[in-house]
Structure formats: C-alpha cells, structure tokens
Amino acid sequence: MKNNNAIQKLALVMVVLVLVSFTGCANSQAGKAVKPSESADFYSAINYDLLAEKTIPATEGEWDYFYELDEKTSGQLQGIVSELANSGKTYPQGSSEQKISDLYACAIDLDTRNAQGLTAVTPYLEKIESARNLDEYLEGLSDLSAIGQSSLIRYGYYQDDMNSDALMVGFESMDALIGKEYMEDPSMQEYCDAYKGYIQDMLVLSGEDKETAGKNAEAVYAFASAVAAQALAPEEFYDPERYYNVYSYDQLLALYGNINMAKYLAAQGLGSEDHYVVFEVEAIKQINTMLTEENLPVLKEYTKFVVLNDLADYAPVAYRDLKLEMAMKLDGSTEKKTDQRLAFDEVESLLEWEFGKIYAGKYFNEKAKQDIKTMVATISEEYKAIINAQDWMSPATKAKAILKLDTMDLKIGYPDQWPTIGDTLQVTAPQDGGTYLANALALMKATRQYDYDEYKKGVNREQWYMTPQEVNAYYNPANNEIVFPAAILQAPYFDENQSKGQNLGGIGAVIAHEISHAFDKSGSLYDEKGNYNVWWTEAEYQKYDELSQKIIDYYGNYTISTGESVNGTLTLSENIADLGALTTVTAVAQKQGESLTDVYSSWATIWAKLSTPDLEKNYLLTDVHAPAAVRVNAVLSSIDAFYDSYGIKEGDKMYVAPDDRVAIWQTNTTNN
C-alpha cells in the first residue's frame, strides 16, 4: 500500500480489509474457448480471448485490470509532472506544483544523486555503527524513529479496537526482511538464498569487504528468522484475541526489559499513555532476548541493512537498482522500469495527497458518484433482506446487524476534508541545494511528526487511508465505513455504457464485497460504532464457525497451476466477502430483471489475470485473497442461480452438489 500515514496503516488486516486481490494464476484453459457449461473453469472460458490478447509486461510480475487502470492513472499524472517540469515556470514555495516539480527534478538528476551518495543519512548510520553499548544503540534507533526508520522497535497509531473514539499506540514486530512465509517454507529456499545474497551485496555497496559482508548477512538473516518463527501468521491478524494485547507502561518496560525502554518512550513523546497494545508478543519477547551487549554487532548490522533497504529508492542508483533486482527476483519480472518512470513512482509515493488533489479535480466523474450512491443503497437494502432470511440468527441479532448497515458510512471519490499533511511537507529545490535523499528524509520526518500530532488530536473519522488515484477499495471496521477511491470507478468495474447487469457484476460486486466485510470472520466481531464487541449469541457464533469451517474446507479443494492447494484459512474472510457479494448482486439483478449472465461474466472479467510463477508462489503464501480463477469459480459454483443461468446440471464439470455449496449469507434459509 502506498499510504505513508502511520495511523491505522493498511498493512494490518485488522485495521482495513482491502478489496483488491493481487493474486491469481495464468490462463489455465488449454485449447480454444469452450462454453461455460462444458468447462471446469468458468473463469478461463469467459476470459479466454481476453487473456490470449494480453501479455505480462516485462517490468511486471502480472497483468490484470488493476494494473491496467493504475497505468492509465499513472500516465495521467505523469503528464502533469511533465508539464510542470517543462514549463520553465517558478511556482510559489509550498504549492503542490513547486513540491512536485522540484522533487521530480531531484529524483531524475541521477548524476547528483550518485555524487551525493548517502550524505543525508550518514549521520544516522554513523550513530548506529559507532554505538559502544546498547544505550548508545538505542539512542541511534530513537533518532531514526524520528524519520520513520525505526527498524527494530516499531510502533504506529491506530483506532482502539475496544474504543473506536480513541487512538492507541500499537507495537509491532521488527522489520521482517523477506518475511515469515518465505523463511518457513522449504519450497521458497531459492528466494531466501537470493535475499541473503542481496543483504550481502547491500552491505558491500555500503563499504564492507565481501567476506565480512557475507558473514554479517548470514547473522542478520538468522536474527530475522528467529524472530519470524515467533511472529503471527497473516490470518491471525483477523482475530483481536490474538493481536490485541494490552500492556501498561510498567508491563511494556518489562517486555523490553533488556533496554532502557523508558528513555526510548520519553524520546518519542509516548511515556504517559493510558495503555499500549502489543500485536506480536512472542516476537517481541524474542527480540528482547537478542538485545544484549554480546549481540550488539548483529543488531547494528541489521539496522544498517534495514535503513539502506528502506531508503534505496531515494539513494544513488546502485542502491536503487540492487533493491529493484531483488524485487524482480521475487515477482518474476525481467526488465527494469525506466529512470523516468521510477522517479515518478517514487515522487508520487512521497507526495501522494498532492497528486490526489490534482487527480480528483481533473479526472473524477462527479455523475458517477451519484450512481454509486444509488447502487450502494440498493445493495444495502438487499443485504438486509438476506440477513432477515437467516433462520439461525435471532431477531435481536438481526436487528444489530441491520443497525450496522444503517449506520455504515460511505465515502466515494475523494475526501470531503482533505488531509492537512501537505501544509507540513516542504521540498528544497535543486538550485537551492536540495537533493533527492535529503528531501525524502525531510518529507519522512515531517510525515512522522504529522502522524504524532494527529494522534494527539484524537480520532478523525473523516480521514481516508487510500488516495483518490488508487485503484482499490476498502472496508474499515473501526469506522464502519466503505470507501471507493475515484480511480476504481472506471471500466470494466463501472461504465455508464455497460448494461446494469455488467455494472452489478463489476462495481456492484465490489460494493457488496466491501459491505460483506462488515460481517466476515473479523468484521462480524465489531459493532456499528467500530468497537470490538461480540454481539452474537454463543449458539449463533458456533453456527457461524461451522459455516466458516465448511468454507475453509471447500476452498482447500481448489489448486493453482502448480498443483498447490489454496489456503482456506488464510483466505477465509475474503472468501466470505466474495460469497456474500455474489449472493447479494444476484438477488438485486433478479429483482431488477437484469441478465445474470451479464453479472457473472462481468465478475469473471474483473478478475482476469496473468501472473508469473514466482508471483503465484508469493501470493499463495501471503495473500489473504484466493487466486483469481478460484475467486470466480469457487464463488459461482456455490450460487444456485448460476446453474440455471448456464444450464449446468449434475455431471457437468462446474457442478457442485447443493449440500456442498458454501456461504455464510444465503438467500434461502437452509444454510447447507
């Protein structure tokens, strides 16, 4: 995710449950396209011609419509950058035009970037490298934290799960390097070995000799592996019972008992909070065991590598390219992006809200906003009918679920109140001595301070966690809200020239998916105010668990092209949302007399995807969404109306017996 705001980061699934599945497999349909009723793969039958025309760009690990629309949006914004860069004008200091044009000028000036080296970050690195003991090392970490480079002690600001009207400080594990999923899977050893080589190469680039860097790389990787072994699995972040661990001030000091945590918290302005939340207790306990004078050398090397890795995008080209080569190894891409495109991407990530204002003002279709509002209202009403149809829920529980729908907030296009972070971000022009790395560090420092100031102000329910130019959507349980940035309101998801059925299968299903997240395995634990509050009876939640287990088992029967099975536990909440979405839009289409074949073919089309084998492996381990083909085939095979629409009967390849079809939310009351 591109959001730099530390408050309620999208990276944590317990905070925001995103729509977009960057998961999938390549076209698995061999030979020519066949009728859906004759195919075991509706996804490929519908997308055969489309995918035959598409290729994975050499600079990417995949092609899909999210990529295609992101390229369109990026092209529009790149055009604006080009106009600013070539205008010859001098813009007022602090204006969006000044910040964008001057930062891009610094980014694309590779000669100056190379000549400046790591000068801007050298004082921070030298403080870490020269630390003679843990106290001095901790001071170095504290200084790095001010620019958002905390590496070993990581925290952020989040709405409190138990009181959504308040913000909390949440402590995370350390930077996980290549990640738990890679480190613990024997089939990913090739990538892990490459990553160790990457650490070594980065350390060599920073000045270490190859032999020393090799030993240090092994030590850093071993340290990270030991912590990763104690980290939570991705699916555990859906369960507040696993990650919401309240610590008092004294308890937090004891958790980090091997260092002067009181001094660290005071330096961060966080020494007097009512409570703290620790997301990964066992991982932090493991970190604490390593915080000894004896381990100081590896701690310093670890922090050095993390800082170099995090800042490589803004550093001399050798660092940037080294990081890029590692990323290409992981996603299977074969060609580097141009210097111009890389510079744009980096600048856009640092000034995302400046770009967001420009994009929304120039490209957002205001008429689409009203169309989406109408569709949301229709889908929400249908969801109420579906809830009322469930014979396993009591009237009281149904009333609470409907209250959650009635109070759900809707945000479309762009914020009504723009974030004020732009007022604090300043860029120094090249002619005034500004360099890219120095500007990047200044922007990160200002962002870190802005996050802290916002934390002290308290909850801002008007805040967005995606920018208007992001092709995505999300449900936020803490605010009980669904959010649709401007950029996703385009074809094939939404198009005024499409049939209503196609729009229902596109943006309608996206809307229903996000609404469904309010009642998925995690979202169902939060009330209408965004507080963790189990509002089900024990018997009802036991039934919910039974239905969930059936979904887990059902999805576990699906495999990708490598023969590996889908992880039904990892993907459970997203699968519940997909199933709920198609059930809902099916019912809406039937009542409106719209074509269900339009709905289902559109659903298949929006997930069309080609992926490299490297990326397929990555997503199967790390993505909480099912692979693209499975998102289509598994869901539709559990929708009764799908069978009637395509004449699918027992014995056909897409057929699943009624008793084996799955869902939490069904239009009938049998809930098989």
Side-chain angles (χ1 to χ4, degrees):
M1 299 304 172
K2 295 186 289 186
N3 197 310
N4 291 326
N5 193 330
I7 297 179
Q8 208 165 346
K9 292 188 298 184
L10 292 174
L12 294 172
V13 294
M14 73 275 197
V15 179
V16 177
L17 306 176
V18 296
L19 155 76
V20 174
S21 170
F22 294 108
T23 315
C25 44
N27 185 4
S28 58
Q29 182 74 30
K32 64 181 181 179
V34 296
K35 295 179 181 178
S37 59
E38 299 172 355
S39 173
D41 185 354
F42 180 82
Y43 163 87
S44 291
I46 294 298
N47 291 321
Y48 179 84
D49 290 336
L50 170 66
L51 294 179
E53 296 173 358
K54 300 295 183 179
T55 57
I56 301 173
T59 58
E60 308 297 324
E62 64 189 352
W63 172 89
D64 60 11
Y65 277 115
F66 296 103
Y67 162 79
E68 195 157 288
L69 286 187
D70 187 61
E71 284 297 288
K72 175 183 175 182
T73 301
S74 293
Q76 292 166 331
L77 294 175
Q78 288 173 61
I80 293 169
V81 172
S82 180
E83 289 176 14
L84 294 175
N86 297 319
S87 70
K89 296 179 181 178
T90 300
Y91 301 100
Q93 183 66 29
S95 65
S96 295
E97 291 82 1
Q98 178 267 319
K99 285 182 276 192
I100 290 172
S101 59
D102 285 343
L103 190 60
Y104 182 77
C106 290
I108 202 61
D109 184 358
L110 303 186
D111 290 340
T112 300
R113 282 176 66 170
N114 292 335
Q116 285 291 317
L118 299 175
T119 302
V121 76
T122 296
Y124 296 96
L125 292 175
E126 286 182 343
K127 191 162 187 177
I128 292 293
E129 291 174 344
S130 64
R132 295 166 296 181
N133 51 53
L134 279 178
D135 284 343
E136 292 183 0
Y137 172 70
L138 192 63
E139 289 177 5
L141 289 184
S142 184
D143 289 351
L144 284 169
S145 183
I147 57 171
Q149 300 295 319
S150 38
S151 77
L152 191 64
I153 303 176
R154 303 175 71 205
Y155 65 88
Y157 309 115
Y158 308 87
Q159 274 178 269
D160 197 316
D161 288 61
M162 303 302 170
N163 178 13
S164 64
D165 290 326
L167 293 173
M168 67 183 189
V169 181
F171 280 84
E172 309 162 33
S173 182
M174 67 184 201
D175 189 304
L177 305 187
I178 196 173
K180 176 186 181 74
E181 294 74 32
Y182 277 88
M183 290 175 170
E184 296 184 348
D185 190 319
S187 71
M188 308 302 277
Q189 189 60 48
E190 172 190 353
Y191 303 97
C192 293
D193 290 341
Y195 201 87
K196 281 187 277 188
Y198 166 58
I199 298 173
Q200 179 182 10
D201 291 342
M202 190 68 85
L203 295 177
V204 168
L205 197 57
S206 72
E208 296 184 13
D209 67 78
K210 188 172 183 178
E211 182 178 356
T212 301
K215 292 178 181 178
N216 287 335
E218 289 287 347
V220 166
Y221 187 88
F223 171 41
S225 297
V227 175
Q230 303 302 321
L232 295 181
E235 61 267 24
E236 292 180 287
F237 280 104
Y238 281 98
D239 183 2
E241 295 291 337
R242 296 289 294 132
Y243 69 75
Y244 190 88
N245 305 290
V246 177
Y247 275 66
S248 68
Y249 176 76
D250 289 338
Q251 288 172 327
L252 189 66
L253 299 190
L255 183 64
Y256 287 98
N258 285 343
I259 56 175
N260 189 346
M261 192 62 174
K263 183 178 180 181
Y264 182 87
L265 290 175
Q268 308 302 309
L270 300 175
S272 59
E273 311 310 303
D274 291 336
H275 67 277
Y276 307 84
V277 173
V278 177
F279 298 136
E280 298 183 85
V281 174
E282 295 305 315
I284 291 178
K285 286 180 179 178
Q286 180 64 36
I287 292 169
N288 188 59
T289 65
M290 293 291 293
L291 288 168
T292 65
E293 301 291 348
E294 181 183 4
N295 289 323
L296 187 58
V298 69
L299 296 174
K300 291 159 66 171
E301 289 294 318
Y302 165 81
T303 297
K304 178 181 177 181
F305 168 72
V306 168
V307 171
L308 293 174
N309 179 64
D310 287 351
L311 298 179
D313 292 335
Y314 321 107
V317 172
Y319 289 92
R320 183 202 69 183
D321 287 352
L322 195 59
K323 181 178 181 179
L324 186 57
E325 288 166 6
M326 186 65 235
M328 292 169 64
K329 170 68 176 176
L330 294 178
D331 69 17
S333 56
T334 57
E335 184 178 302
K336 294 179 183 178
K337 293 180 180 179
T338 65
D339 291 331
Q340 290 78 11
R341 178 56 189 270
L342 290 169
F344 165 79
D345 288 347
E346 295 153 4
V347 169
E348 197 271 336
S349 71
L350 289 169
L351 297 173
E352 58 184 359
W353 284 107
E354 307 289 344
F355 281 93
K357 289 180 181 179
I358 294 171
Y359 179 80
K362 193 166 185 177
Y363 295 107
F364 182 56
N365 179 355
E366 291 290 346
K367 183 181 181 301
K369 189 170 186 175
Q370 188 55 52
D371 291 340
I372 299 304
K373 282 184 177 180
T374 300
M375 194 177 292
V376 169
T378 301
I379 290 170
S380 181
E381 286 301 310
E382 189 57 45
Y383 218 112
K384 292 178 187 178
I386 292 171
I387 287 171
N388 279 323
Q390 307 310 302
D391 60 5
W392 55 278
M393 294 174 69
S394 68
T397 302
K398 291 177 183 178
K400 290 176 182 177
I402 290 172
L403 176 62
K404 195 170 184 182
L405 284 169
D406 285 338
T407 56
M408 186 178 290
D409 194 18
L410 170 63
K411 296 176 178 176
I412 303 174
Y414 55 88
D416 292 331
Q417 297 178 14
W418 289 96
T420 58
I421 187 171
D423 299 337
T424 69
L425 301 179
Q426 298 298 323
V427 173
T428 302
Q431 61 269 26
D432 296 325
T435 65
Y436 193 39
L437 184 56
N439 272 316
L441 290 175
L443 292 170
M444 291 175 188
K445 185 175 183 179
T447 299
R448 187 68 161 176
Q449 183 63 45
Y450 175 83
D451 290 343
Y452 178 78
D453 293 341
E454 290 295 297
Y455 164 65
K456 287 301 183 181
K457 290 177 185 177
V459 172
N460 175 11
R461 293 186 184 270
E462 297 302 314
Q463 186 173 5
W464 281 49
Y465 303 105
M466 286 181 182
T467 57
Q469 66 270 31
E470 190 159 356
V471 185
N472 208 329
Y474 66 92
Y475 171 72
N476 177 3
N479 280 353
N480 189 28
E481 65 183 3
I482 51 176
V483 184
F484 304 95
I488 198 171
L489 305 181
Q490 304 181 70
Y493 309 100
F494 175 75
D495 187 343
E496 294 174 348
N497 298 317
Q498 288 183 159
S499 71
K500 289 184 178 180
Q502 288 173 304
N503 280 334
L504 276 172
I507 197 64
V510 170
I511 291 166
H513 174 104
E514 297 308 335
I515 291 175
S516 294
H517 270 312
F519 308 101
D520 69 18
K521 186 63 174 174
S522 177
S524 61
L525 301 175
Y526 293 82
D527 63 22
E528 78 281 0
K529 296 179 181 178
N531 297 317
Y532 176 64
N533 177 14
V534 181
W535 39 276
W536 310 76
T537 66
E538 185 175 343
E540 287 168 340
Y541 210 66
Q542 182 178 350
K543 178 64 176 179
Y544 192 107
D545 281 341
E546 290 174 4
L547 295 171
S548 295
Q549 187 58 53
K550 191 172 181 181
I551 293 172
I552 291 171
D553 296 340
Y554 174 78
Y555 275 84
N557 290 324
Y558 284 86
T559 60
I560 63 171
S561 58
T562 61
E564 296 170 282
S565 297
V566 173
N567 184 336
T569 301
L570 174 65
T571 58
L572 175 61
S573 279
E574 296 296 335
N575 295 336
I576 290 173
D578 282 346
L579 289 160
L582 265 293
T583 296
T584 306
V585 296
T586 292
V588 170
Q590 288 175 321
K591 289 180 179 179
Q592 294 183 345
E594 297 298 330
S595 166
L596 288 180
T597 56
D598 279 358
V599 173
Y600 300 144
S601 61
S602 183
W603 172 253
T605 298
I606 66 172
W607 298 118
K609 178 185 289 290
L610 297 169
S611 299
T612 65
D614 299 281
L615 208 51
E616 281 191 37
K617 291 180 182 179
N618 177 306
Y619 289 147
L620 196 65
L621 287 176
T622 64
D623 196 343
V624 295
H625 304 80
V630 178
R631 292 192 80 165
V632 175
N633 295 333
V635 171
L636 294 181
S637 290
S638 275
I639 304 293
D640 293 342
F642 172 70
Y643 291 81
D644 295 332
S645 297
Y646 289 95
I648 296 171
K649 58 188 182 300
E650 188 172 359
D652 289 339
K653 294 178 180 179
M654 283 288 292
Y655 183 84
V656 172
D659 286 349
D660 295 327
R661 298 171 196 171
V662 298
I664 299 292
W665 310 107
Q666 300 188 18
T667 50
N668 58 51
T669 58
T670 59
N671 287 297
N672 289 318

